[in-house]
Every structure is written in structure tokens, then in C-alpha cells.
Amino acid sequence: MTKPLVVQKFGGTSVGTVERIQEVARRVGACAKDSRLIVVVSAMSGETDRLLKLARALSPDPLPRESDVVVASGEQVTSALLSIALDARGVPAQSFLGHQIRIRTDSSHTKARIRSIDSERMFEALDAGKVVVVAGFQGVDENGNITTLGRGGSDTTAVALAAATNADACEIYTDVDGVYTTDPRIVPHAHKLERISYDEMLELASLGAKVLQIRSVEFAKRYGVRVHVRSSFNEEPGTWVVPEESNMEDVTVAGVAFDRDQAKITLTAVPDRPGLAAKIFSPIAAKGIVVDMIIQNAGADGKTDMTFTVPRLEADHALQIVRDIAREIGAGEARSEGDMTKVSVVGLGMRSHAGVAAQIFETLAREGINIQMISTSEIKVSVVIDAKYTELAVRVLHDAFLGGDKEARG
């Protein structure tokens, strides 16, 4: 009987020291007795930042192609070190870089997207009884250039390999032991979910939860890869990220997420005529700045105020663009506020349970927390508030919907 095929991914903290790599080797070796394994590794914790710092010491704006070559070396080191550690334990292993197994990407350096994966060399090694160790976060474009997948890209590598090889499971080992209903550092009685749907995980990941990289969840959903988020520091079961199940809508809310990386920009007295919204937001998009929430308040005098949010570090750049546009179109003042947080309540059960938004607003109002912006989807309600109220808002919303003693979704 053929052993099940499992893809495992270990993050930077899991391989952050020689001792940690030895522990990962012990764990992988134990699993290899019952499974065929493809193991994806990140660079050692802090290594990518160190390499980028070296590049920027030579140039404030290093060429993206060369930056990719530099930072990809971090995963090259850990993949080889883990293979060495496995071999020392009597577990046959072989390391592969992105270009060696042909993880083909587009040519968008520093943020490339995977187009295809050639699994032949991996299966050759697996059939030879070896653990396949793959450097995460990297690939190669059609011209043979090394590319990287962006921050958190090793998660995407792991899920993509699981999809390409039709693996039985994809285990993401990290420094947390699963997906919690909110950050346990803020709400100590937050509980770990046994299962969460792809859509809920996508919302939580995009709204500030750092457990999984968004693109890895998108991959998992597209190809039906079941993902198990686990801790590399204990043997406990984690959280399964899975297709939607029939009982998931029985639970109104799965979790409360927050994102402190928010700034608000307001442009006043915008002439209310067709085409001006595009004139404002097209130049912002052209600079790669992601706009999140947008509110437009129509006035009776042919003018409107427009407010939107951007990542905090992009606020000054976005504000200068808006001020230039304001002069061009004859609008009023442009201003920004940086101390904003987006707090979101997420759950499939919102589709069938009325009154969630009203309960959110009432809960925050009782604490004197002013809501500045609101955004909704079928399974999410997000509000923008002053950053100083972040922890209070998360606590009261978690208690309102999830309490302190409720069972995690089973």
C-alpha cells in the first residue's frame, strides 16, 4: 500500500537555529516512517531582513531582479541544512531550489505569481525513498531568472506543491498552534478553532490575522487543498482550513481580526461629476498603493467629500498624489490621519443570521468607541476606529459574539 503524501512547511522561527533545525529533522524523520514527505522551509528568522539590509547598504533602491537573487539564498541555506540534519539521523533527503523543480512564475520580481510546477524530479526522489526538501518563497521565470513570491511566500510554495502533487494534506508548521477566534495576547480566553472555511480564513488573513499568507489560502481554495495549521513547538492538533461544511453556518461568527496598519485620507469639496473618482484613484493604483475602504458623501452644492484608507506606510505618498490631483480638479483640502485600526467580525453564519452589524454598532457604542468607516461583505463587517481603542474593541466584540467559554467549531 502506498504511503500517503504529505507536504509540510516550516517557518522561519521553526528553523531559526541549528538546534531548531535538528528538532525539525527529528519531527520530519518520525513522520517519514508513515508518509512520503515534501518539506518546504523558510529562511531562518530575521535572515530575509538581514539580506535586504545588505542590499540596501549598497543601493537605496536595489534592482528587484538582484534583490530576488540575494534574498532567495536564505531558503537555499535552510533547505540544505535540513537535508544535512536528516541525513545525519539516517533519513535519506534531497534538497531542491525553486529552479531545480521548475516552480515557474511570472517575471514580477519580489512579488511573482506561480504559473506551473514540474513535479517529476520530486516524484523521482520520493520513489527513491527520500524526503524532498524544497526552498520556499522562490521560483524561476521563463527566462531563467530567480524570482521570489513576496512576504510569506513559503506558505504559497507549500500549498502549490500540495496541489501539483495531489498531496493528501498540507501541514503548515509555525510559531502558533492554530487559528484562534482572535489574538490570544489581547483576549486570553480566545479559543482555537478545529476547522475554518477557506472563505473565512481568506477574510481573516486579509483583515490582519497573520497565521497564513493570503495567496496560500487562495491556492488552497482553488485546488481544494486541505491545510492543517500546526505548531512546530508541540505535537497538538491545530486548525484545519477546509472547504465549507454544512454545519459551519450554525456558528454566526468565526473570529475577530484587527489591522493596525491603516491610515485614512480625506479629500473635501470634490466636484460631483462623472469620471473624477477614476481620476483620483487611478494614479494611486499606478504607484502600487492599495486602497481599502472608500466612502463618498454627496453634498447638495454639487460637491462631495471622499474618504478612503491605505496602508499606514503609504499614507504620505498617497496624500501627496491626492493633493496634486486636488489642485488639478479644483477640489478642496486633502488631509490624512494615521492612527487608525480596522476591526472586523467574520463568519459564514452572517449569511443566515440577521442583526450582526447592529450588534457590532451597539457593542462599540456602549464603550464610547466612534466608528469612522464601515465596510461589509456577505461574511464580514469591518469598522475603522481610532487606534487607541483597538484592544478594547477587540475584547468587547469577541465577548459579544464568542464569549469566553464557548466551544471551538468542531
Side-chain angles (χ1 to χ4, degrees):
M1 181 177 178
T2 303
K3 292 180 181 179
L5 176 58
V6 177
V7 176
Q8 298 181 333
K9 178 261 177 178
F10 291 89
T13 53
S14 303
V15 293
T17 65
V18 168
E19 292 74 22
R20 289 302 310 157
I21 292 173
Q22 290 173 330
E23 173 59 23
V24 169
R26 181 201 64 77
R27 189 163 194 160
V28 169
C31 293
K33 296 174 182 176
D34 301 312
S35 303
R36 295 175 297 156
L37 292 180
I38 298 172
V39 181
V40 177
V41 290
S42 299
M44 291 180 167
S45 55
E47 181 67 3
T48 301
D49 288 336
R50 186 187 74 84
L51 292 168
L52 283 172
K53 187 177 180 180
L54 289 175
R56 288 167 182 158
L58 298 171
S59 168
D61 189 22
L63 293 171
R65 180 189 182 279
E66 306 307 330
S67 290
D68 276 355
V69 174
V70 171
V71 299
S73 66
E75 281 73 17
Q76 178 173 339
V77 169
T78 47
S79 61
L81 288 177
L82 179 57
S83 295
I84 292 169
L86 286 166
D87 181 72
R89 301 183 69 88
V91 180
Q94 185 174 355
S95 66
F96 292 93
L97 306 183
H99 70 274
Q100 291 175 314
I101 55 173
R102 305 299 294 177
I103 298 176
R104 296 182 181 89
T105 73
D106 61 22
S107 298
S108 301
H109 287 288
T110 74
K111 53 180 181 298
R113 290 188 171 271
I114 296 174
R115 288 180 170 172
S116 66
I117 294 174
D118 185 350
S119 58
E120 182 178 354
R121 290 195 70 184
M122 289 187 292
F123 277 115
E124 287 176 355
L126 289 168
D127 291 343
K130 296 178 180 178
V131 172
V132 172
V133 183
V134 179
F137 177 62
Q138 61 183 253
V140 60
D141 70 9
E142 62 182 8
N143 297 314
N145 297 305
I146 293 173
T147 58
T148 63
L149 308 181
R151 289 291 187 167
S154 293
D155 286 356
T156 303
T157 301
V159 176
L161 290 178
T165 59
N166 196 28
D168 295 280
C170 179
E171 299 180 338
I172 304 291
Y173 288 90
T174 182
D175 54 359
V176 297
D177 58 357
V179 180
Y180 279 74
T181 48
T182 196
D183 189 336
R185 292 170 297 184
I186 291 180
V187 182
H189 54 263
H191 47 260
K192 183 172 63 180
L193 296 165
E194 293 181 14
R195 291 179 182 82
I196 188 169
S197 72
Y198 295 132
D199 286 339
E200 289 170 321
M201 192 67 245
L202 273 172
E203 290 283 13
L204 289 173
S206 68
L207 296 168
K210 306 299 184 185
V211 177
L212 281 177
Q213 200 247 13
I214 296 170
R215 281 164 57 188
S216 70
V217 186
E218 291 172 344
F219 243 104
K221 180 182 178 182
R222 187 183 313 159
Y223 295 103
V225 176
R226 297 171 69 87
V227 178
H228 193 189
V229 181
R230 306 184 66 180
S231 172
S232 58
F233 300 100
N234 62 55
E235 305 286 343
E236 296 299 316
T239 299
W240 283 96
V241 185
V242 296
E244 184 176 330
E245 298 169 349
S246 58
N247 65 339
M248 284 184 168
E249 286 197 27
D250 295 341
V251 180
T252 307
V253 170
V256 179
F258 62 96
D259 182 1
R260 302 181 194 266
D261 182 30
Q262 296 285 304
K264 183 176 72 173
I265 294 177
T266 300
L267 178 59
T268 63
V270 178
D272 191 8
R273 60 175 186 265
L276 285 190
K279 198 170 187 66
I280 293 168
F281 292 110
S282 293
I284 295 174
K287 294 298 183 180
I289 299 172
V290 177
V291 173
D292 188 5
M293 296 188 189
I294 302 173
I295 293 178
Q296 183 172 327
N297 299 312
D301 57 354
K303 302 280 187 179
T304 184
D305 291 345
M306 192 169 290
T307 302
F308 59 94
T309 59
V310 297
R312 187 175 299 176
L313 291 177
E314 304 278 12
D316 290 344
H317 191 187
L319 182 61
Q320 187 55 55
I321 294 172
V322 172
R323 283 175 173 164
D324 292 342
I325 296 168
R327 286 191 291 269
E328 183 181 338
I329 65 177
E333 174 192 13
R335 61 180 182 271
S336 69
E337 297 176 61
D339 292 329
M340 299 284 116
T341 294
K342 177 170 63 176
V343 180
S344 307
V345 175
V346 176
L348 289 177
M350 292 186 188
R351 295 172 181 165
S352 52
H353 292 76
V356 173
Q359 188 174 353
I360 292 171
F361 305 152
E362 291 168 1
T363 300
L364 296 178
R366 283 196 298 270
E367 303 296 333
I369 301 173
N370 184 45
I371 298 172
Q372 302 194 27
M373 302 177 76
I374 302 168
S375 173
T376 65
S377 75
E378 189 178 27
I379 64 169
K380 171 209 74 181
V381 177
S382 296
V383 297
V384 171
I385 62 175
D386 284 335
K388 65 183 179 182
Y389 295 118
T390 301
E391 295 190 4
L392 174 60
V394 170
R395 284 197 297 269
V396 297
L397 289 174
H398 186 276
D399 286 350
F401 290 100
L402 294 156
D405 301 312
K406 294 185 179 181
E407 291 296 321
R409 177 186 287 163

